[in-house]
Amino acid sequence: MSSRYGLRETRENNHPLYKRMIKDRGDKKIIHFRAPKFAVLSDELISSVDVEMVYWGIQTRYWKLATEHYGDPSLWWVIAYFNRKPTESHVKIGEMIFIPVQWEIIYNAIIEGDERFK
């Protein structure tokens, strides 16, 4: 099984701020995974996708919405990305969430815009 970090770049860190941690580990440096760079969805693309609207409730979760609308809970991030709300803590109760009906368009726009998948 491959790691979810398999395509992420790494960075060596030997900054003095981490000196004690590095010493405690018996290492000379720390390796960090770089933050991922995400494609920006154009307003034109967003407006071309059909959506279903759902009001966020107390028990609403991205994975539950993905299961209900796509039959696959692992596509939760498509809904989060489309709404520009990366985690459930970014959504307020009563807020309207847009579920892209053609999730493949969003998925492909992100993958095609990512140099790692070319």
Side-chain angles (χ1 to χ4, degrees):
M1 175 186 261
S2 64
S3 166
R4 67 182 180 164
Y5 300 109
L7 297 173
R8 298 267 296 273
E9 294 178 23
T10 58
R11 176 181 181 272
E12 292 183 8
N13 184 347
N14 56 5
H15 192 278
L17 181 65
Y18 295 94
K19 186 176 182 178
R20 183 178 181 146
M21 181 188 300
I22 293 169
K23 182 181 175 190
D24 290 347
R25 290 182 176 185
D27 291 328
K28 294 183 181 181
K29 62 187 172 204
I30 297 174
I31 304 294
H32 290 282
F33 287 101
R34 290 186 177 264
K37 296 176 184 171
F38 296 104
V40 176
L41 300 176
S42 69
D43 290 338
E44 182 181 349
L45 176 76
I46 290 172
S47 65
S48 72
V49 176
D50 294 329
V51 297
E52 292 182 20
M53 295 171 277
V54 174
Y55 287 99
W56 195 266
I58 293 174
Q59 296 184 349
T60 307
R61 300 290 178 266
Y62 284 136
W63 70 268
K64 289 180 181 180
L65 293 172
T67 301
E68 180 182 337
H69 293 272
Y70 307 143
D72 185 351
S74 70
L75 292 172
W76 67 268
W77 61 270
V78 172
I79 300 167
Y81 196 86
F82 187 79
N83 285 276
R84 298 181 178 146
K85 306 269 184 191
T87 68
E88 291 152 346
S89 64
H90 289 90
V91 187
K92 296 178 180 148
I93 294 180
E95 189 172 349
M96 187 178 297
I97 294 295
F98 301 98
I99 313 292
V101 175
Q102 306 100 336
W103 66 266
E104 299 91 345
I105 294 172
I106 305 305
Y107 181 92
N108 291 335
I110 295 167
I111 298 301
E112 289 173 9
D114 192 327
E115 292 294 321
R116 297 172 298 177
F117 296 104
K118 291 185 178 181

